[in-house]
Amino acid sequence: IKYPGDTDTAIIRRAQWIEGAKKEEGNLDWWGILSPGEGSKVIAEFNKIYPFIKVDYWRGSPVEIEGRVGAEYAAGRLRADIILGVETYNYSNWRKIGMLEKFTDFIPGLKKMDKRMSSKHHERCMPGNNVSIPTYNTKIVGTAEAPKNWEDLLEPKWKRQIAVQPVVTPWYTLALAEGGWGIKKTEDFLARLKQQQPIYVSSYSSGHALMVAGEAKIMSTGFWTHVMTSQDKGAPCEWVKANPLAVTGPSFILQKKALHANASRLFLEWLFSPQGLIAYDNVTYYGVVFPGSGTRAAKAAEGLNLAVRTEETVQQAIELGLIDRFQEILGISKGVK
């Protein structure tokens, strides 16, 4: 079993993990936010390489996972080996209590990838991304008149035609992330977007459905993934190559006291290999957008700048109260995270 960038040391180490995983009875416990169907398909791809490792997958919401992790870790019996999908603000607390194990430094391919894909602490990494951009209905918005950038959303012709969802994560990412707009420009943009008298929706999904149905011509911050999924089903939608792209995404972590540490390392090493990232992309449509990953998202984003949400931007957004402030500027009820 070899991966691009392997050294003799990596090959020997992998062989040791394989022997260790067999002594762990070939088990692995994964908690995550993927649907059971998606989780099963990712596991099936992994088992093509490591058929002797049985992966038990439990799906929960981020809040459910956080609660279960907290309760079990406090009791000294955390069963999850690897975890995907908790909110970013948890990592600093989990790091302080010694729950997180470093793992990104032993994955050969990550050394060639964008450093923002993984934590500077080497204990979490994103297998896929949510890319937030304007999206539109191609049946009622022609290619010539479609927005070409963020500023085009503010044209008078789009008044009362734009869906706005309540989660302001893309906006504070654009405000704070490297390569973004800065706070002042973001606030000015949101104030002008509110003047467009947008259609307020409850979520990314509901906004996308409304846009596809033609009840809104544009969604201000849709998911690239939703567009790709819908296009495969023949739905009339497209995304705007707005610069920069607002990039977020869940991370995998490996807990320090993992009962199946060797199997966990084999899984993570496979997942963040070129074939693992493409398999994850094919199953979930949430491909890594960073250059060099070989995913559809990365190819689509070529030539565009990425404003990437990091642990630091989340903490800064909380400290500055940007979530409530941006929701207030947009006319959205406070408290939606």
Side-chain angles (χ1 to χ4, degrees):
I1 299 173
K2 295 183 179 180
Y3 298 115
D6 265 350
T7 62
D8 291 342
T9 300
I11 294 170
I12 293 170
R13 181 176 56 198
R14 187 173 305 123
Q16 293 171 341
W17 290 342
I18 291 172
E19 290 306 309
K22 291 177 179 178
K23 292 177 182 177
E24 294 165 353
E25 299 181 351
N27 291 324
L28 170 61
D29 288 306
W30 168 19
W31 294 357
I33 56 172
L34 298 184
S35 70
E38 290 171 332
S40 295
K41 290 177 181 178
V42 171
I43 292 166
E45 292 297 318
F46 170 67
N47 284 150
K48 291 178 181 178
I49 309 298
Y50 295 105
F52 64 90
I53 297 178
K54 180 180 182 296
V55 183
D56 290 320
Y57 179 68
W58 176 75
R59 188 265 184 105
S61 69
V63 173
E64 289 171 332
I65 296 172
E66 291 160 15
R68 191 172 178 184
V69 167
E72 292 200 5
Y73 189 83
R77 52 176 177 77
L78 178 56
R79 286 175 290 171
D81 298 304
I82 55 176
I83 299 166
L84 170 70
V86 299
E87 295 295 343
T88 308
Y89 53 73
N90 288 286
Y91 301 131
S92 60
N93 293 330
W94 289 355
R95 188 177 301 117
K96 288 177 184 177
I97 64 175
M99 198 187 91
L100 304 180
E101 181 68 85
K102 294 182 179 182
F103 70 87
T104 62
D105 51 346
F106 64 63
I107 298 175
L110 287 182
K111 295 177 181 178
K112 299 179 181 180
M113 300 287 284
D114 191 302
K115 292 181 179 179
R116 293 173 295 179
M117 182 175 165
S118 55
S119 164
K120 65 182 181 181
H121 302 285
H122 305 292
E123 18 73 321
R124 65 179 182 83
C125 195
M126 293 185 283
N129 298 115
N130 298 322
V131 178
S132 297
I133 29 70
T135 60
Y136 62 94
N137 185 306
T138 55
K139 266 190 177 179
I140 52 180
V141 178
T143 302
E145 68 167 334
K148 304 299 186 294
N149 51 52
W150 291 103
E151 288 292 325
D152 285 353
L153 299 185
L154 306 178
E155 292 182 359
K157 66 183 178 181
W158 304 126
K159 198 166 188 176
R160 303 185 191 90
Q161 304 296 329
I162 302 173
V164 169
Q165 52 87 25
V167 178
V168 297
T169 303
W171 302 121
Y172 75 65
T173 299
L174 287 172
L176 299 173
E178 179 183 353
W181 294 342
I183 295 174
K184 180 64 169 61
K185 180 177 178 178
T186 306
E187 288 180 331
D188 291 345
F189 181 90
L190 295 181
R192 294 170 67 193
L193 183 60
K194 183 184 178 183
Q195 292 175 2
Q196 291 287 64
Q197 298 179 25
I199 303 166
Y200 295 104
V201 295
S202 60
S203 66
Y204 288 101
S205 297
S206 62
H208 179 72
L210 195 76
M211 181 269 294
V212 169
E215 296 181 45
K217 292 183 178 180
I218 298 171
M219 187 167 179
S220 60
T221 50
F223 277 164
W224 182 88
T225 301
H226 288 167
V227 172
M228 294 300 101
T229 305
S230 295
Q231 284 183 350
D232 282 355
K233 298 176 181 177
C237 57
E238 189 54 271
W239 64 288
V240 179
K241 291 191 175 183
N243 221 356
L245 305 179
V247 179
T248 62
S251 290
F252 262 102
I253 62 170
L254 167 63
Q255 74 114 343
K256 190 175 288 288
K257 298 179 181 179
L259 295 177
H260 311 108
N262 292 291
S264 298
R265 291 186 175 95
L266 291 172
F267 181 89
L268 292 169
E269 186 186 44
W270 165 80
L271 182 66
F272 291 104
S273 70
Q275 56 263 56
L277 289 174
I278 291 174
Y280 187 90
D281 176 29
N282 289 338
V283 169
T284 68
Y285 281 79
Y286 286 96
V288 170
V289 72
F290 298 109
S293 65
T295 65
R296 290 168 293 182
K299 293 173 183 176
E302 286 180 358
L304 299 175
N305 297 325
L306 308 179
V308 182
R309 181 188 65 172
T310 64
E311 205 171 319
E312 290 71 30
T313 58
V314 173
Q315 188 60 40
Q316 192 177 2
I318 293 172
E319 291 173 354
L320 295 174
L322 290 190
I323 296 173
D324 286 345
R325 193 194 311 179
F326 285 179
Q327 287 177 339
E328 184 176 1
I329 292 172
L330 276 171
I332 297 168
S333 298
K334 292 184 178 181
V336 179
K337 303 301 182 185

